[in-house]
Amino acid sequence: MAEPCHASPGTPVGFLTDTTLCIGCKACEVACKQWNQLPADEPLTGRGLSGLSYDNTVDLGAETWRHVSFVEVAAEPSVTHGSPVTAWLMMSDVCKHCVHAGCMEACPTGAIIRTEFDTVFIQPDVCNGCGYCVPACPFGVPQLSDEAHIARKCTLCYDRLRGGLEPACAKACPTDSIRFGPVAELRVEAALRVEQLRAAGQGQAVVYGDTRVGGTGGIGGLNALFVLTAPPETYHLPAKPALPGDRAAGSYATTLVAAAGIAAAALVALGPRR
Amino acid sequence: MFLQDLARSDCIVIMGANMAENHPVGFRFVMEARERGAEVIHVDPRFTRTSAAATRHVPVRAGSDLAFLGGLINHVLTHDRWFEPFVRHYTNAAVIVDKAFLDTEDLDGVFSGYDPTTGTYDPATWRLPQLEERDKPRSNPATDPTLQHPRCVFQVLKRHFARYTPDLVAKVCGVPEADFLAVANAICDNSGRDRTTAFAYSVAWTQHTTGTQIIACCAILQLLLGNLGRPGGGIMALRGHATIQGSTDIPTLFNLLPGYLPMPTADSAQATLGGYLAEATPPTGWWSNTPKYMVSLLKAYYGPAASEDDEFGYRHLPRIGGDYSFQRMVPMMLDREIRGLFCMGQNPAVGGQNAKLARRGLATLDWLVVRDAFEIESATFWRDGPEARNGEQDPASVATEVFLLPAALTAEKEGSYTNTQRLVQWHDRAVDPPADTRSEAWFVHELARRVRQLYREEGGPGSEQLAAMTWDYPTLSNGEPDLDAVVREINGYVVSDGAPVSGFTELAADGSTACGCWIYAGMLDRDGVNHARRRVAGGLADLEWGWSWPANRRTLYNRASADPDGRPWSERKAWVWWDETTARWVGHDVPDFPATKPPDYRPALGAGGVDALPGDAPFIMLADGLGQLFASSLKDGPLPTHYEPYESPVENALHPRRRRNPAAIPVDNARNRYDRSSGRESPFPHVLTTYRLTEHHTGGGMTRFVPWLAELQPEGFAEIDPVLARAAGVGNRDWVVIASPRGSITVRALVTGRVKPLTVEGRTVHQVGLPWHFGWGGIARGPVANELTALVEDPNSLIHEGKSATCSVRRASDAEIAAAREWSRHG
Amino acid sequence: MTTRHPSPTRPYRDVPVIHRAHWKWLVILYFFLGGIAGAAQFVAGLASLSDRQRNHRTARIARLVSFFAFLPCPLLLVLDLRKPSRFLNMLRIVKFRSPMSIGSWTLALFGGAATASALRETLGSEDRVVPPTWFRAALELGSAAAPALGVVLSGYTGTLLAATAVPVWAKGSRWIGPLFLTSATASATSLVETVLTLGDAPPSDAERVGHLEGICSVAEVALLAGWLRSVAAYDRPLLRGEAAWPFRHLTVGAGLALPLALRAFSPRLPRPARTAATVLGTGLTLTGGLALRYALVVAGAESADDPEATFRFTSGSATSHPPEAKLASATRSAP
């Protein structure tokens, strides 16, 4: 198994989360919260048992930067016949650190930056809580914190990277399902892994996070890659998301056309002829 | 075997364990094996995180493990898949069993020697001829190397398991024949000279009234397949929690002294040290060294004053006269035999079987000391427990004086962990414990010092014993005892100069050495350097990582990794072998065999001790050096036999007249009633199994109070299958009432296809899964699952049956739901 | 977060894939008022451009309407950000690809421009104070820039919604900007019309503005229809969710159909009734404009919460697969 990797400025680093090695222990979730000192979800008054398999944190959010989803796959989706589970897919979700990040484009304050490690980072002292990055992320990653009312998400453990350490989640993962390293290397590893899985009969195995799946539509790929063995939607991931900022120009243009139309109407309605 | 070695397995069967969930760190080696192409089979009532990572999951009825394993044994024997040279040379297959021995197959469910009035066995007819008797040419031979003699162990074994057919397995376990055969073929195809199969089990094998026999059954199977002492092969005993291995080595168990020396009994034969040693010391095999270890232990206990004339202080040792296991302690508390209790690292108000009875026991004590990191339920039961809430017991009427003392956590103290593979790893203190929090070492050290002082001043029964005990650990400036001194005592030293011994072979029976636990001898080198601090990875066995008892060996009985002539069974599976040029055993591991004893060594007539064992007898701890396919030392029979759990929804298909293990030990108490019904009309028609989750630890004392862990599993639940849920009229997250003869709880249902109804004996049996972590304290709360479980013991280990019982399930009423919500809201 | 009761066979069907915006009434009101403020400046500019002389009352009223509509906007945004100083963070950088950045700068500049134009109107009418030349120049500059800034301010909020991952907003990305601009212009002109009607301006002023309002309303109907067509696959929250009632009855019914009907019939009414109809029409138009923004923001939140919508939107091809159909074939065995 891999030796821990130390990040050096100028080399893009990221994650490769191989779901086929995940055992759903949630050590990544806990390590993340511990290192980043994130509070637990409403511990005493929280929602309690979610009923969603073994997933009780349910989603990524302002205070949950790694989240393991548990997908019970039944042979036939029928409750009446008991539908025995044939597979239990687990995926540790995280910020995708997009090559072209929707959140970063949306951010009006410059709080969201690319670091020297090519990761996407929200500067907490610059973020003003406008919340626009939240709907601008096609993966549902950043969220406004209740308390501070600023947007928060995975920092890819920027402080640890600066200190020569790998991110807490990758460090804690007992099966190396979460790998940390230079994105270029991870891409090669992911491709090889998928090839291996396909050769072993996992026909649906796919790298999530290249420009064909996951990092599509102007996103230009993800720095946090995933190896999946079922369609992305099974893991609650969008298959072909697009960069929302790409829609702005068209919207401005049509608005200006409309303005021109109104101007023409005004010239008619308010003009000297009448 | 050791965890890293699992990565070398060609097939891993995980049964009686949920390894991915409860041993996630060690599970990485299973994943490595899987990635290398190994078959990973999980046989378990539920589809768990282990099943998800396995290549095959076989759902099985909880409590039917022995029938499944017996089926595998029968398959191996009837299809001639056993590893012939291994069985012939390394097991007692050839030994001829006494004429008077009668099998369960002869006596319809009991072995010869059974006394129905006491429910115990006289093992006289099971006894095999001693080693020295075997080579004597007699008209009545003691062994038959051809394995054809009708009374030789091999043939007895064959007959014993003949009825464990795939059909019986299907009937008893609810496992379809095809699934069973797939497992059987996988283990057979992955055993032999060039391949090895490993089994991994945990407390879901031990916590049965047949627990020890289930494990024995696996041992027989692995001996037949030649999977012991070899790389990637073996039986991985996954321990229930951190350093529980350490606390059996230097035991918190009532019936053992350190290093697995038996505790002296009150029996008159053991009144003297000589008498004790005569009973505890076999003439042959490694245990013939028992006097060296016992005398060295007494020297460690009683110091320089312990002399041969005084039997090294043997008379000061306490004697046992019965069963003082946890199961027995509860009735003893109720009977006021036990009046005070130290509760350290245990939460019996939640984790004790029949928890209500356990709490009644606690409420009868005069005093109770609870040392824990949080205010656990065992400290609050009198005030916040169910009995206080429902008015059953007025808190004011509980006379128990409870002392709650704050306990330091791992990072706040130094010490060692002995993990599941006997690996001792030392850890330092990272931070000082807060405020008045203290380590266990400090507490025990101070307790011993102060109690001794009190007895010195005031006298009283036992004061002589306390005065005789050495307790001279230096105290450090922070008040903690010097653990280096404790380690030095455990490791052992030469009495004359105090120099540490470098191994147990240096221990002597003449009082010249002292050793607190002989198996840990050699953890220090002669200069006192603690090998448990080492952290160097490398080599196939990682020999420089920590230190593993005994003698830093990683795989026990590894002589078996070579063939009788001392050559590896195959290149691929080479581990330890005889090197002709140096005339020594060498290899990747520390050989578990006398280093220079050649493979062709044959003992001289009348040789004793280890010298009595030939060069091809790898199991050196046993008197004959052979793996025991037939084991006369167990309390409930020399061969494993399937019995139903103490509570079961079905009759015993194998022995209809013997439903339960006839030697199982019930605990008679009006509040510990058992379900004696079975069948469709039973009031408790479903199988109940309790278990743990990754997110919490045992009774929850270390986890339910921690927000980051509590949020991951915030509430108690019961896993039930969709069919049962429909029948009960409940949906996912709805509240159900689960009842057993001991009590009932209201809990949320987690309806999931991961639990599957099984067809057992032609009818559908539902299984209800219940995590037992939860209680009324902390952040993550839920009803106490152990309200439902019973006190009943396996006769060998005296362990309870937590893994299979019976229960009923129904939809909760509005009032019950309201009460349950109230319960989880505040403590 | 709400408590969920997932079905064991369709996990995560109720868990959103993307996160909804936190926007509530503060932002809805800002969209509404900011839109009017911007559009009113636009109208003022157009009025001056068309016929400065004849439209000077119209332009003046429009500039004042714009100023008063603008006044609460910074307050609404500051309340949304929770701290006044946080708005300054918006002005650290200019980012053309962020509608929020563009909008923030526009709002800041527009604030100055709208104030300038309002001051210019006030000062221009009362010749008592003679301000310094540089001040006049600044007022002129501000007034000149205001209409263009107004267009952006009025329309960018549509782009703001469009440039997100929320299906119902993103799908109709080319329609929302024009829709917002047109709707805001309708509201602004309607307000101006009413003020003119109630004031002492000649009736022709109000009539001309009313004519423009009518054109805008008709255009809005067309844009709304076009937009609805384009988001047809994602319109469930709009037609069936919390937004459905206000959208149907307030935006379409009260906000567009009724005012257009009133406008059609009012020439046949006697004068006092006509005035009342104008005031009523304005009230209805404003309600419709507000309801439109409410409906869009609320529908967006529901759309974001709907994982199926997100999956459809991001399936990337015509052959969008319902995820649970493929669930069954997903297996996980080791290589």
Side-chain angles (χ1 to χ4, degrees):
Chain A
M1 298 213 170
E3 292 296 309
C5 156
H6 305 292
S8 53
T11 308
V13 292
F15 291 124
L16 169 58
T17 306
D18 184 346
T19 62
T20 65
L21 297 178
C22 180
I23 57 172
C25 72
K26 308 183 193 170
C28 50
E29 275 195 60
V30 179
C32 174
K33 290 215 171 188
Q34 190 175 30
W35 178 264
N36 294 298
Q37 289 292 300
L38 301 169
D41 276 356
E42 308 162 34
L44 279 165
T45 56
R47 65 178 89 85
L49 191 76
S50 76
L52 199 64
S53 194
Y54 276 11
D55 178 0
N56 288 296
T57 45
V58 178
D59 197 4
L60 291 173
E63 264 96 42
T64 305
W65 298 350
R66 266 275 178 194
H67 162 252
V68 186
S69 51
F70 288 75
V71 182
E72 297 183 10
V73 181
E76 46 191 293
S78 133
V79 183
T80 47
H81 294 97
S83 58
V85 159
T86 52
W88 199 5
L89 307 178
M90 292 142 200
M91 188 200 66
S92 179
D93 199 5
V94 69
C95 171
K96 315 298 179 292
H97 294 277
C98 308
V99 172
H100 299 295
C103 63
M104 189 172 141
E105 282 196 354
C107 177
T109 63
I112 306 185
I113 55 164
R114 291 207 89 82
T115 69
E116 64 269 41
F117 306 109
D118 204 37
T119 60
V120 180
F121 179 77
I122 305 180
Q123 303 172 84
D125 53 337
V126 180
C127 175
N128 69 349
C130 81
Y132 190 46
C133 56
V134 175
C137 171
F139 304 99
V141 174
Q143 202 171 40
L144 287 180
S145 68
D146 288 338
E147 203 113 310
H149 198 71
I150 57 170
R152 308 189 72 185
K153 68 163 197 74
C154 163
T155 66
L156 218 138
C157 280
Y158 179 67
D159 48 354
R160 287 177 64 93
L161 299 194
R162 295 275 303 216
L165 301 168
E166 63 180 324
C169 55
K171 175 83 184 167
C173 178
T175 57
D176 280 355
S177 164
I178 301 175
R179 303 280 298 275
F180 166 76
V183 177
E185 288 174 25
L186 295 180
R187 281 197 195 287
V188 174
E189 270 180 49
L192 287 174
R193 176 66 176 161
V194 162
E195 219 169 273
Q196 184 193 356
L197 289 165
R198 287 196 172 167
Q202 299 259 40
Q204 301 203 64
V206 69
V207 179
Y208 185 85
D210 59 19
T211 50
R212 284 165 301 180
V213 187
T216 49
I219 294 170
L222 310 177
N223 281 1
L225 307 164
F226 299 82
V227 170
L228 309 178
T229 52
E233 287 90 348
T234 309
Y235 301 87
H236 225 52
L237 290 169
K240 306 211 165 173
L243 190 60
D246 281 353
R247 283 187 285 270
S251 176
Y252 285 133
T254 51
T255 307
L256 290 179
V257 170
I262 293 171
L267 290 177
V268 173
L270 306 175
R273 267 197 307 119
R274 294 177 58 114
Chain B
M1 70 187 304
F2 57 110
L3 286 162
Q4 297 95 309
D5 193 35
L6 283 172
R8 279 181 282 269
S9 299
D10 301 296
C11 174
I12 300 170
V13 182
I14 300 167
M15 194 171 168
N18 186 357
M19 191 175 176
E21 298 202 27
N22 293 314
H23 304 84
V25 178
F27 195 73
R28 68 178 288 149
F29 302 109
V30 177
M31 297 295 274
E32 272 190 43
R34 190 194 79 179
E35 291 306 306
R36 288 177 190 180
E39 189 89 38
V40 177
I41 298 166
H42 189 217
V43 184
D44 199 272
R46 299 178 302 127
F47 190 102
T48 68
R49 281 174 262 202
T50 305
S51 323
T55 54
R56 177 184 291 274
H57 171 239
V58 178
V60 66
R61 176 170 62 96
S64 69
D65 306 60
L66 203 150
F68 191 90
L69 292 168
L72 293 175
I73 289 174
N74 186 42
H75 179 93
V76 168
L77 291 173
T78 53
H79 293 82
D80 268 338
R81 301 298 298 265
W82 48 290
F83 190 16
E84 201 216 317
F86 196 99
V87 172
R88 262 183 213 288
H89 290 271
Y90 297 165
T91 74
N92 64 2
V95 180
I96 292 171
V97 178
D98 197 304
K99 247 189 232 126
F101 170 75
L102 288 171
D103 189 58
T104 45
E105 294 297 280
D106 308 317
L107 296 177
D108 196 12
V110 291
F111 294 99
S112 51
Y114 185 65
D115 178 352
T117 56
T118 59
T120 57
Y121 279 104
D122 172 4
T125 58
W126 314 346
R127 208 156 277 148
L128 298 179
Q130 296 285 302
L131 191 59
E132 62 269 23
E133 300 165 334
R134 293 185 194 169
D135 291 333
K136 286 181 194 155
R138 293 191 299 178
S139 57
N140 189 10
T143 61
D144 173 22
T146 67
L147 307 185
Q148 296 306 313
H149 191 287
R151 279 191 291 110
C152 80
V153 164
F154 190 72
Q155 295 298 333
V156 170
L157 189 74
K158 255 187 161 171
R159 287 198 298 275
H160 179 81
F161 284 107
R163 285 201 293 143
Y164 291 70
T165 58
D167 185 50
L168 180 100
V169 170
K171 222 166 139 186
V172 174
C173 309
V175 176
E177 196 170 318
D179 281 3
F180 169 77
L181 289 176
V183 177
N185 287 325
I187 62 168
C188 290
D189 294 346
N190 288 297
S191 300
R193 281 182 183 275
D194 206 37
R195 302 185 80 77
T196 48
T197 290
F199 275 76
Y201 78 91
S202 187
V203 293
W205 268 2
T206 36
Q207 290 182 6
H208 287 287
T209 44
T210 52
T212 310
Q213 294 285 5
I214 296 174
I215 297 155
C217 203
C218 182
I220 292 169
L221 179 63
Q222 288 292 62
L223 282 171
L224 290 173
L225 293 170
N227 285 325
L228 287 174
R230 301 181 58 202
I235 302 175
M236 185 76 236
L238 298 162
R239 302 305 310 254
H241 35 106
T243 208
I244 198 75
Q245 180 66 50
S247 60
T248 41
D249 299 338
I250 299 173
T252 50
L253 300 169
F254 76 94
N255 53 356
L256 284 177
L257 289 171
Y260 301 94
L261 296 167
M263 191 76 184
T265 66
D267 190 349
S268 60
Q270 296 194 7
T272 64
L273 178 62
Y276 166 87
L277 290 176
E279 290 204 348
T281 314
T284 55
W286 198 271
W287 279 112
S288 60
N289 292 311
T290 299
K292 299 175 189 169
Y293 309 147
M294 184 64 183
V295 170
S296 295
L297 176 66
L298 291 169
K299 281 299 284 183
Y301 279 172
Y302 300 113
S307 70
E308 192 158 7
D309 302 337
D310 191 26
E311 292 194 309
F312 302 103
Y314 175 75
R315 68 196 161 89
H316 298 307
L317 280 182
R319 312 297 155 96
I320 51 170
D323 180 355
Y324 299 96
S325 67
F326 177 79
Q327 330 277 335
R328 295 288 152 185
M329 283 167 69
V330 173
M332 282 179 190
M333 287 184 237
L334 290 166
D335 295 343
R336 307 268 303 140
E337 273 183 69
I338 293 175
R339 301 199 179 175
L341 186 73
F342 289 96
C343 204
M344 298 162 69
Q346 196 166 0
N347 192 6
V350 164
Q353 278 57 53
N354 196 340
K356 191 185 187 69
L357 198 63
R359 291 192 298 270
R360 283 188 168 270
L362 297 179
T364 319
L365 294 167
D366 292 340
W367 55 264
L368 170 65
V369 175
V370 177
R371 288 192 81 257
D372 217 295
F374 299 98
E375 190 181 22
I376 58 170
E377 286 85 350
S378 294
T380 65
F381 70 94
W382 57 277
R383 186 187 69 208
D384 299 331
E387 294 75 22
R389 288 190 198 202
N390 62 21
E392 233 174 278
Q393 186 159 41
D394 178 11
S397 75
V398 179
T400 312
E401 190 174 0
V402 180
F403 302 88
L404 177 64
L405 302 176
L409 294 168
T410 300
E412 297 167 346
K413 62 196 176 191
E414 63 173 334
S416 66
Y417 277 103
T418 306
N419 75 2
T420 208
Q421 66 203 47
R422 314 176 319 281
L423 182 70
V424 192
Q425 296 177 95
W426 194 264
H427 68 87
D428 293 309
R429 182 174 61 246
V431 289
D432 285 326
D436 282 340
T437 309
R438 297 279 190 274
S439 70
E440 280 73 24
W442 179 91
F443 179 78
V444 174
H445 181 56
E446 283 300 312
L447 188 70
R449 274 175 8 112
R450 295 183 198 188
V451 167
R452 263 154 63 94
Q453 182 64 25
L454 208 60
Y455 272 87
R456 202 171 305 149
E457 287 164 8
E458 298 180 7
S463 55
E464 193 201 348
Q465 281 170 288
L466 281 165
M469 174 176 76
T470 59
W471 200 280
D472 51 4
Y473 309 113
T475 304
L476 302 176
S477 57
N478 61 2
E480 295 277 335
D482 182 359
L483 292 191
D484 287 344
V486 178
V487 171
R488 197 180 67 100
E489 184 183 62
I490 290 172
N491 178 83
Y493 53 91
V494 178
V495 172
S496 57
D497 61 0
V501 298
S502 63
F504 42 74
T505 51
E506 292 173 23
L507 298 177
D510 60 3
S512 62
T513 55
C515 179
C517 183
W518 71 273
I519 52 179
Y520 280 67
M523 180 173 148
L524 298 183
D525 70 11
R526 272 185 216 286
D527 300 324
V529 174
N530 188 345
H531 290 317
R533 286 183 179 275
R534 295 182 300 188
R535 293 293 183 276
V536 185
L540 292 185
D542 288 321
L543 290 173
E544 302 279 308
W545 187 285
W547 183 86
S548 178
W549 71 258
N552 204 28
R553 285 177 191 120
R554 306 297 158 129
T555 297
L556 288 181
Y557 302 128
N558 54 32
R559 161 69 180 88
S561 68
D563 68 13
D565 297 329
R567 294 181 303 250
W569 290 106
S570 73
E571 270 318 300
R572 190 166 171 260
K573 292 290 170 179
W575 190 248
V576 161
W577 56 90
W578 176 255
D579 182 50
E580 290 287 356
T581 52
T582 56
R584 292 182 75 85
W585 290 96
V586 295
H588 305 295
D589 200 349
V590 178
D592 191 8
F593 206 64
T596 56
K597 183 190 273 190
D600 56 4
Y601 170 83
R602 291 293 169 269
L605 211 62
V610 185
D611 290 341
L613 306 184
D616 62 351
F619 298 94
I620 57 171
M621 297 309 289
L622 300 172
D624 57 4
L626 299 175
Q628 298 184 57
L629 298 173
F630 185 97
S632 49
S633 54
L634 297 180
K635 298 272 199 299
D636 49 355
L639 291 168
T641 305
H642 166 71
Y643 299 106
E644 284 299 319
Y646 218 67
E647 295 182 332
S648 168
V650 295
E651 296 292 343
N652 185 347
L654 200 72
H655 301 294
R657 291 184 47 225
R658 291 282 173 192
R659 186 159 150 205
R660 300 161 162 156
N661 182 354
I665 309 173
V667 173
D668 293 319
N669 185 293
R671 293 178 193 275
N672 190 48
R673 283 183 297 124
Y674 300 110
D675 171 25
R676 292 176 190 274
S677 65
S678 75
R680 229 176 284 265
E681 304 310 318
S682 162
F684 306 105
H686 313 306
V687 174
L688 174 72
T689 186
T690 64
Y691 53 88
R692 306 180 342 202
L693 304 163
T694 308
E695 295 84 348
H696 289 296
H697 184 255
T698 63
M702 295 207 295
T703 53
R704 283 188 288 112
F705 297 76
V706 181
W708 290 324
L709 298 173
E711 71 168 334
L712 301 178
Q713 291 289 5
E715 196 180 344
F717 59 86
E719 285 182 320
I720 61 175
D721 68 68
V723 181
L724 179 58
R726 248 172 90 87
V730 293
N732 196 27
R733 281 184 95 252
D734 284 350
W735 295 88
V736 289
V737 174
I738 303 176
S740 84
R742 273 79 54 193
S744 71
I745 59 170
T746 309
V747 67
R748 279 193 200 271
L750 191 64
V751 180
T752 172
R754 291 185 295 100
V755 186
K756 201 181 139 194
L758 298 173
T759 306
V760 178
E761 302 232 31
R763 72 183 180 94
T764 303
V765 169
H766 297 283
Q767 312 200 68
V768 176
L770 204 54
W772 62 270
H773 303 292
F774 299 94
W776 60 86
I779 302 165
R781 295 175 187 170
V784 177
N786 278 317
E787 308 285 344
L788 306 177
T789 57
L791 292 171
V792 58
E793 292 172 312
D794 170 287
N796 298 290
S797 64
L798 310 177
I799 294 288
H800 61 274
E801 188 154 65
K803 294 303 173 189
S804 54
T806 53
C807 70
S808 64
V809 176
R810 65 169 169 82
R811 191 189 167 82
S813 71
D814 289 348
E816 286 163 334
I817 293 171
R821 282 185 195 276
E822 186 67 15
W823 169 274
S824 54
R825 208 162 295 141
H826 55 76
Chain C
M1 207 170 274
T2 50
T3 308
R4 301 191 174 91
H5 298 258
S7 129
T9 48
R10 292 192 60 199
Y12 293 95
R13 69 187 259 189
D14 300 320
V15 181
V17 174
I18 56 170
H19 288 151
R20 53 153 82 186
H22 72 285
W23 300 328
K24 300 227 167 62
W25 275 108
L26 292 174
V27 170
I28 293 166
L29 271 176
Y30 163 70
F31 281 9
F32 177 61
L33 294 175
I36 291 177
Q41 277 293 353
F42 183 37
V43 169
L46 291 172
S48 298
L49 190 68
S50 309
D51 191 334
R52 179 178 287 268
Q53 210 54 41
R54 220 155 44 119
N55 291 332
H56 78 274
R57 279 175 301 271
T58 304
R60 176 183 157 82
I61 298 297
R63 289 189 177 113
L64 291 176
V65 161
S66 168
F67 179 69
F68 286 109
F70 163 78
L71 273 185
C73 289
L75 182 70
L76 290 169
L77 288 188
V78 162
L79 283 175
D80 182 59
L81 295 177
R82 306 215 176 157
K83 279 184 211 159
S85 63
R86 280 186 165 184
F87 188 79
L88 296 179
N89 292 20
M90 297 281 198
L91 308 180
R92 287 176 78 241
I93 56 165
V94 183
K95 207 187 231 175
F96 288 104
R97 282 183 65 93
S98 169
M100 185 69 97
S101 177
I102 298 299
S104 301
W105 278 105
T106 305
L107 182 71
L109 296 175
F110 180 85
T115 311
S117 77
L119 266 178
R120 184 165 152 277
E121 289 297 340
T122 327
L123 294 176
S125 65
E126 324 227 343
D127 279 311
R128 284 174 207 149
V129 189
V130 182
T133 321
W134 63 265
F135 190 68
R136 274 216 163 269
L139 293 188
E140 287 303 327
L141 182 69
S143 308
L149 288 168
V151 170
V152 180
L153 182 67
S154 192
Y156 96 89
T157 46
T159 305
L160 191 75
L161 300 186
T164 65
V166 178
V168 74
W169 293 343
K171 188 64 179 54
S173 64
R174 307 213 164 193
W175 295 91
I176 311 182
L179 185 61
F180 272 20
L181 177 66
T182 314
S183 152
T185 311
S187 294
T189 46
S190 188
L191 259 176
V192 172
E193 183 192 7
T194 287
V195 175
L196 286 170
T197 306
L198 295 176
D200 51 3
S204 62
D205 277 13
E207 271 167 32
R208 282 205 304 279
V209 173
H211 190 56
L212 178 59
E213 199 275 348
I215 296 172
C216 286
S217 287
V218 171
E220 193 186 338
V221 171
L223 287 167
L224 206 52
W227 177 63
L228 280 175
R229 239 178 89 90
S230 90
V231 300
Y234 306 95
D235 61 6
R236 202 171 56 110
L238 207 58
L239 302 182
R240 256 168 285 169
E242 203 188 308
W245 195 90
F247 182 69
R248 269 167 210 260
H249 297 99
L250 300 183
T251 304
V252 180
L256 288 169
L258 274 181
L260 281 171
L262 279 174
R263 191 166 296 288
F265 285 107
S266 68
R268 294 177 216 167
L269 298 175
R271 191 159 185 85
R274 217 187 297 172
T275 304
T278 303
V279 175
L280 178 63
T282 298
L284 290 168
T285 302
L286 292 179
T287 306
L290 182 60
L292 174 69
R293 282 144 188 90
Y294 172 84
L296 251 101
V297 169
V298 168
E302 282 183 29
S303 181
D305 283 353
D306 178 4
E308 303 294 319
T310 303
F311 288 148
R312 273 201 307 283
F313 186 60
T314 57
S315 62
S317 65
T319 58
S320 80
H321 38 243
E324 39 325 346
K326 293 227 172 166
L327 264 180
S329 58
T331 52
R332 178 174 170 166
S333 56

